[in-house]
Amino acid sequence: MKKELTFLNYILYSIAFFILLPNSMKEVPFVVLGLFSIFLFSKDRKMDRKVFLALGLFFAVNLISLLYSKDFAYGLRRIEGFLPLLYLTFSYCVFSKMDVRFTKKFVENWILIFNGSNVVFLTIVSFYFYYKNIPITYNTIRTVFDEIPWINMHPIYLSIVSVLGILSSIYIFRENLKKCSFLIFANVGLLFLTGARATFIGFFIILFLVLLFGKLSSKIKFSVAVISCFLIYFLFAFNSDFKKRFNEMIIPVSYAAVNTNNSTSVRIAVWDCGIQKIKSSNPIIGNGIGDVPSILQECYDAEYPELGKFYNTHNQYFSILLGTGWIGLLSFLLFFVYLFIDALKNKNNFLIVLVLFYLYIFNFENIIERKYGILIMLFFVFFVFNIFTKPANKPVEIA
């Protein structure tokens, strides 16, 4: 068993370098974890089958929807993108039945590596700007995030990674935040540079929840609250681009008509088409996972030709309703209801906060429709704030 646990260590530590792994290899350690889970299962046949069926239901619903999708080829690609729902859920159900406990030292090291990788990513981006002699503006920073070779990532997903870094740092060092203050500020800087408004607002919501429910001293809660207020003031008072992006969202006249340079107006147009098509779709089973882009494109071409090709609904719930109807949405929500109830039962306040954060962010982005979005989400809800911290009956400790 010792050799197996050492190998498991290597797998989990490799996942901690997530943001620095080349995009073509980001899924590799997760797949290895899934295969390793199959190996462990073959030895003792232990896994939580009921939970696997419940959590795997959403994947099954999408798979069945291929039968009535007109665009089978695209639907098949979407199913391939949802495969982590199958193999990471399987891993979770296998490890939840094993008598393995991760030591505090291991969890602390994993979180330090994960957050340290975020810092290295920011450093690489800085050198890239210098090497390419790119003028530093808010828009060029966001563009470089999405275009830097090998490790490029859309700003919204980077913003989520930064929030996960902040939350995990607070979790592991909640008794002494001074130890991770640099990592927290670096992640806040990354969040700020992404310009992701929904995540930025969500960050302060979950920060409030952590302060309210987290087991932190009154002194730390007061310090974090004061620093947060100062940070908000600083961002809006001294960064005109950041302030402009929020003004676009707050002032209705700025998005009264579609303007491709105004992301809020684009989002509202996309939401409008999503709602229109949901109303005309089969409410029970939807249109099939493969047909969502073409159905939306029909509306964009007719109602908002300025958008051109703009497939994403920018709302995970709308996308699910279009693809698999209420059956799909309910099976998707069942996934999070289970996690929420399990977190309540185990008094896992940080998992509760994380589940609420994702349920919030799904209103603005299709998080699970990009591989790195679904991979990091599943790993944090299944492992970082779940298995990593669960006590075992007869533990074999992993240091």
Side-chain angles (χ1 to χ4, degrees):
M1 187 66 177
K2 188 176 181 181
K3 288 183 179 179
E4 286 89 339
L5 294 179
T6 301
F7 183 63
L8 176 61
N9 254 354
Y10 290 137
I11 298 172
L12 297 176
Y13 277 132
S14 64
I15 291 173
F17 290 97
F18 178 78
I19 199 171
L20 298 178
L21 293 175
N23 288 335
S24 60
M25 296 182 63
K26 268 188 170 54
E27 191 178 7
V28 172
F30 296 93
V31 171
V32 174
L33 178 62
L35 294 173
F36 184 66
S37 303
I38 294 173
F39 167 73
L40 293 177
F41 175 71
S42 67
K43 293 183 71 174
D44 59 19
R45 298 290 174 176
K46 287 183 180 179
M47 70 170 291
D48 198 326
R49 289 175 171 81
K50 290 182 180 178
V51 170
F52 179 70
L53 290 173
L55 297 185
L57 182 61
F58 177 68
F59 179 86
V61 168
N62 280 276
L63 186 62
I64 292 170
S65 78
L66 278 177
L67 298 174
Y68 53 90
S69 289
K70 295 177 182 176
D71 192 339
F72 184 83
Y74 178 80
L76 204 58
R77 292 201 301 273
R78 290 302 318 123
I79 289 296
E80 188 273 332
F82 282 160
L83 278 175
L85 280 167
L86 197 63
Y87 66 77
L88 286 181
T89 298
F90 180 83
S91 297
Y92 167 70
C93 291
V94 169
F95 280 103
S96 63
K97 281 293 185 180
M98 289 180 62
D99 289 325
V100 173
R101 181 173 64 202
F102 293 87
T103 65
K104 183 179 179 181
K105 179 184 176 182
F106 171 85
V107 179
E108 184 176 311
N109 288 341
W110 193 95
I111 289 172
L112 283 172
I113 294 172
F114 180 81
N115 283 275
S117 297
N118 291 358
V119 175
V120 173
F121 176 85
L122 274 176
T123 305
I124 292 172
V125 169
S126 301
F127 276 110
Y128 186 79
F129 267 92
Y130 176 77
Y131 178 74
K132 291 287 188 179
N133 198 25
I134 301 172
I136 299 176
T137 67
Y138 210 60
N139 287 331
T140 58
I141 291 171
R142 286 171 54 83
T143 300
V144 166
F145 282 156
D146 205 16
E147 295 179 355
I148 190 169
W150 300 309
I151 56 174
N152 58 296
M153 192 177 291
H154 191 280
I156 185 65
Y157 296 93
L158 274 176
S159 69
I160 291 172
V161 168
S162 69
V163 169
L164 294 175
I166 296 166
L167 192 60
S168 59
S169 295
I170 293 174
Y171 170 76
I172 197 65
F173 295 111
R174 57 189 179 276
E175 295 174 2
N176 185 0
L177 289 182
K178 289 181 181 179
K179 287 185 177 181
C180 65
S181 56
F182 172 73
L183 295 176
I184 290 176
F185 279 112
N187 278 300
V188 169
L190 178 59
L191 172 61
F192 164 58
L193 292 174
T194 64
R197 293 164 296 184
T199 314
F200 189 80
I201 294 170
F203 163 66
F204 282 101
I205 292 173
I206 69 169
L207 188 62
F208 170 77
L209 293 174
V210 168
L211 293 178
L212 187 64
F213 299 113
K215 296 177 181 179
L216 306 173
S217 68
S218 299
K219 183 180 178 180
I220 290 177
K221 288 182 178 181
F222 177 76
S223 299
V224 172
V226 170
I227 292 171
S228 300
C229 291
F230 174 77
L231 179 64
I232 294 172
Y233 172 76
F234 175 81
L235 293 178
F236 284 95
F238 297 101
N239 192 301
S240 57
D241 289 332
F242 196 78
K243 186 177 181 179
K244 180 183 176 182
R245 284 180 60 79
F246 272 85
N247 281 340
E248 287 179 0
M249 182 175 64
I250 296 169
I251 303 172
V253 70
S254 70
Y255 51 81
V258 176
N259 177 0
T260 53
N261 294 318
N262 183 316
S263 59
T264 303
S265 70
V266 171
R267 188 181 297 270
I268 288 175
V270 168
W271 282 351
D272 180 52
C273 274
I275 292 170
Q276 286 186 44
K277 290 301 181 179
I278 288 170
K279 289 179 179 178
S280 61
S281 299
N282 186 312
I284 306 300
I285 63 171
N287 303 280
I289 190 176
D291 297 349
V292 175
S294 58
I295 288 170
L296 288 170
Q297 194 61 48
E298 289 177 5
C299 181
Y300 301 152
D301 292 341
E303 303 285 340
Y304 304 104
E306 306 95 329
L307 294 178
K309 290 187 178 296
F310 205 93
Y311 298 132
N312 200 315
T313 59
H314 278 273
N315 183 300
Q316 191 64 69
Y317 305 118
F318 288 176
S319 183
I320 292 170
L321 283 170
L322 282 169
T324 51
W326 279 101
I327 289 179
L329 183 59
L330 291 175
S331 64
F332 181 69
L333 292 177
L334 176 64
F335 183 94
F336 290 93
V337 167
Y338 165 79
L339 291 172
F340 192 79
I341 292 174
D342 186 61
L344 284 175
K345 186 173 72 173
N346 292 292
K347 298 180 180 179
N348 190 341
N349 292 335
F350 278 83
L351 181 56
I352 292 172
V353 169
L354 188 60
V355 169
L356 292 175
F357 169 71
Y358 271 108
L359 290 174
Y360 156 81
I361 209 71
F362 288 148
N363 287 287
F364 307 98
E365 298 294 341
N366 296 44
I367 300 300
I368 68 170
E369 293 181 19
R370 287 204 191 191
K371 267 291 177 66
Y372 44 63
I374 193 170
L375 287 170
I376 202 67
M377 180 194 78
L378 292 176
F379 191 77
F380 265 77
V381 297
F382 282 156
F383 286 87
V384 180
F385 290 125
N386 201 322
I387 289 175
F388 278 7
T389 58
K390 264 186 180 177
N393 296 323
K394 297 176 182 178
V396 177
E397 293 195 349
I398 297 180

